[in-house]
Amino acid sequence: VEFSYCDLTSMKSIWQFVQRFRAKNCPLHVLVNNAGVMLVPERKTEDGFEEHFGLNYLGHFLLTNLLLDILKQSGTHSDNARIITVSSATHYVGKLQLNDLQSRCSYSPHGAYAQSKLALVLFTYQLQHLLTANGSHVTANVVDPGVVNTDLYKHVFWVVKVVKWMTAWLLFKTPEEGASTTVYAAVSPEMEGAGGCYLYNEQRTKSADIAYDEELQRRLWTESCKMVGITDKSIRVP
């Protein structure tokens, strides 16, 4: 195990991390996009992005795109490289405000969090479409870990914290249990060559209807490229 620092709220830090990783000349077989914040008060990243959208979504969007060529080189016909992105059941109630992705007009911690998790599902489906169109030996899937007992809940109301403290042993998954579907997506032979799936409890499940809107997927992808300052390669894909 080797640690390498990467702050997903900082585009500069992400670029620096990728440079360090490239210098190692290592293959990359599995990328798990797992970092996130939930229900934080309104604040911005150092690049001026609303924190939920900037960290939960844009940070992973940029990191994945910068590592995509290495993933493509590492995957083979019989052993695809895999990208696993962790979303949440909250995406089912999320609404993507393409004209206000930064929640500047009206900020709601719940709305901003749900939007970032919906964006991750849309991103995964569009990414898989592009990978398939390019004939790449890389798959992209999205995971719902369930309700897990972690520090993610530190910004909820104190009443919710009390209820969580009283019921976590019964209703919440342990971190190990919460990670099981991510591990399944990363290493299971059953998932070899399978991409564009939404997984919950190690089963393929239907995501929100809006997540299958291909036009919305493309529009979010194009806008995300503009926001993080990379070339939108999808426009050259038939």
Side-chain angles (χ1 to χ4, degrees):
V1 176
E2 185 176 327
F3 173 81
S4 184
Y5 179 81
C6 181
D7 179 357
L8 284 167
T9 66
S10 166
M11 301 293 112
K12 180 181 178 181
S13 179
I14 295 169
W15 279 94
Q16 290 173 340
F17 166 81
V18 172
Q19 288 177 336
R20 292 195 303 272
F21 184 81
R22 287 182 179 279
K24 297 177 183 294
N25 292 316
C26 292
L28 179 57
H29 298 106
V30 177
L31 172 65
V32 178
N33 293 318
N34 183 63
V37 291
M38 183 175 77
L39 307 183
V40 297
E42 185 173 10
R43 58 194 188 199
K44 293 180 173 61
T45 68
E46 68 175 49
D47 300 289
F49 301 124
E50 186 277 316
E51 189 167 329
H52 289 98
F53 198 76
L55 192 165
N56 295 1
Y57 171 66
L58 285 178
H60 291 122
F61 177 86
L62 178 60
L63 179 66
T64 302
N65 273 278
L66 295 182
L67 293 172
L68 208 49
D69 59 334
I70 304 177
L71 285 156
K72 290 177 179 179
Q73 293 165 14
S74 304
T76 65
H77 176 71
S78 60
D79 190 11
N80 284 199
R82 305 185 188 190
I83 301 167
I84 299 94
T85 297
V86 180
S87 181
S88 163
T90 310
H91 91 275
Y92 287 104
V93 297
K95 295 182 180 179
L96 197 76
Q97 307 291 346
L98 274 172
N99 296 322
D100 187 28
L101 291 172
Q102 303 302 315
S103 303
R104 293 191 177 101
C105 294
S106 177
Y107 181 77
S108 158
H110 294 83
Y113 176 69
Q115 176 180 245
S116 72
K117 291 301 179 179
L118 174 59
L120 289 170
V121 183
L122 289 158
F123 155 67
T124 299
Y125 292 165
Q126 176 65 2
L127 175 58
Q128 183 60 54
H129 170 73
L130 299 176
L131 291 168
T132 301
N134 289 325
S136 303
H137 298 308
V138 184
T139 59
N141 291 298
V142 60
V143 165
D144 172 6
V147 182
V148 187
N149 188 12
T150 69
D151 289 338
L152 197 62
Y153 297 86
K154 63 183 179 181
H155 292 289
V156 299
F157 293 121
W158 69 268
V159 175
V160 178
K161 289 182 180 179
V162 171
V163 173
K164 173 180 177 289
W165 177 76
M166 295 174 63
T167 63
W169 65 275
L170 178 64
L171 303 177
F172 284 55
K173 293 182 178 181
T174 65
E176 290 79 11
E177 292 169 338
S180 65
T181 303
T182 298
V183 174
Y184 172 80
V187 302
S188 172
E190 296 175 17
M191 293 303 297
E192 178 57 43
C197 302
Y198 184 85
L199 302 170
Y200 175 65
N201 283 346
E202 301 181 15
Q203 299 290 327
R204 302 182 195 192
T205 308
K206 188 176 182 294
S207 62
D209 290 340
I210 191 66
Y212 299 103
D213 185 330
E214 295 183 0
E215 176 62 22
L216 187 60
Q217 294 168 15
R218 287 191 291 268
R219 291 177 65 190
L220 174 63
W221 185 282
T222 297
E223 186 62 29
S224 301
C225 288
K226 292 177 183 176
M227 295 173 82
V228 300
I230 60 175
T231 303
D232 183 0
K233 298 177 182 178
S234 68
I235 60 176
R236 291 195 291 272
V237 176

